[in-house]
Amino acid sequence: MSLGAGLFVVLAVAASAAGWWSLAAPVLAGALAWVVWRGPLTERGRVGAALAGATQWALLAVSAVVAATYLVPGSASTGAAGPVFAVVALAVVAVAVAADAAGARVGDRIPRWYAVLLGLAAVAFVAVCVAIAPAGDVADAGTGALPPPGLVVAVLVYLPLVADLRGWRLIVGVAAAVTVAGAALYQVGPVRLGLSAASLRDVLAAADATALTPMLVAVAALAGTASAVRCAGRLRRASGRPGWNAPALAAAGAAGVAAAVLGPQPVLLLAGAVALADAAHAVGQRVAR
């Protein structure tokens, strides 16, 4: 679910960092996730448990950013967050906590309705991008023979979005990310794609498909909120105490504040750093065994 929601904002960050090479980022992040987390870690220890909770905390912030970015037009500049954006981001976290407290549970398996909704939205988006020829030259960045240093950043921001995926779900998720990213890059190129965190809105505008923008906004808001509910539940369980206790509520509130204050790009980088630390710890555990 994190990948489905995160795709709405991660494309801009990845494209601005690596250009056309950003197409390789989800593949490399998926390969790293498969190598690091290919088997369950039954004994994570305190550090591992803390990192697992930190990952869900960061993904909760990412989910709130996704919904706020598309619900608040004009606040989607990469790395910027206005007061209305902040209010919406905080509201998404509050709704997620309230929903989980009311018994809305999202398990480890992706709900069928969620997969179908995002699948249909992705197919429609790709169809629009492919059916309409680009307005101008889109081969404007990141087309060199060697990968740019920014590819590391692009892989980093994708890593937390694929870390929870296993087996065929990881393969399907990576393939979907590459397909959507490729369609967006084909339509507008990496420079324009990287200008705004709400990059998919700009792609529809470039393809003369602004009529689909309300649908895109609705899907983004729903995807971000549903992902936030799942992350809130996991964050609550990571506290090790029953119900929404004070530490869990404080952590959720801090995630909302991070989303509200930092905005899309810094939140994605923060989530990537946490996921990288979790990966390094997992590798260390395996080596120690």
Side-chain angles (χ1 to χ4, degrees):
M1 293 185 73
S2 297
L3 178 60
L7 272 182
F8 285 93
V9 293
V10 75
L11 299 184
V13 179
S16 64
W20 281 93
W21 278 98
S22 61
L23 286 174
V27 178
L28 295 174
L32 178 59
W34 182 83
V35 170
V36 172
W37 293 290
R38 64 180 181 271
L41 292 173
T42 55
E43 298 293 336
R44 292 186 63 93
R46 289 186 177 181
V47 175
L51 287 171
T55 298
Q56 297 308 313
W57 176 87
L59 288 175
L60 176 58
V62 170
S63 301
V65 158
V66 170
T69 296
Y70 281 82
L71 284 172
V72 186
S75 68
S77 175
T78 304
V84 180
F85 178 100
V87 170
V88 174
L90 289 169
V92 170
V93 174
V95 167
V97 171
D100 182 78
R105 300 288 186 262
V106 181
D108 291 335
R109 286 193 172 187
I110 299 176
R112 186 173 300 176
W113 65 265
Y114 187 88
V116 171
L117 176 66
L118 290 188
L120 291 176
V123 169
F125 177 81
V126 171
V128 168
C129 292
V130 173
I132 300 176
D137 183 15
V138 297
D140 45 16
T143 55
L146 297 177
L151 181 58
V152 175
V153 175
V155 173
L156 184 68
V157 294
Y158 269 105
L159 183 59
L161 304 181
V162 300
D164 283 342
L165 300 178
R166 301 289 185 273
W168 66 267
R169 291 183 178 85
L170 178 60
I171 296 172
V172 172
V174 168
V178 172
T179 303
V180 172
L185 286 167
Y186 167 78
Q187 184 59 226
V188 299
V191 170
R192 182 170 178 180
L193 186 63
L195 290 178
S196 169
S199 53
L200 301 191
R201 293 182 64 136
D202 291 348
V203 173
L204 291 183
D208 292 327
T210 53
L212 296 178
T213 299
M215 180 197 73
L216 177 71
V217 171
V219 173
L222 183 59
T225 304
S227 177
V229 173
R230 184 192 200 193
C231 294
R234 289 183 167 188
L235 187 61
R236 170 182 52 77
R237 293 194 296 271
S239 69
R241 300 180 184 180
W244 276 98
N245 51 80
L249 284 172
V257 171
V261 173
L262 297 178
Q265 185 176 15
V267 164
L268 280 169
L269 291 173
L270 177 61
V274 173
L276 187 62
D278 191 18
H281 179 260
V283 170
Q285 279 190 306
R286 294 191 189 283
V287 171
R289 292 177 184 177

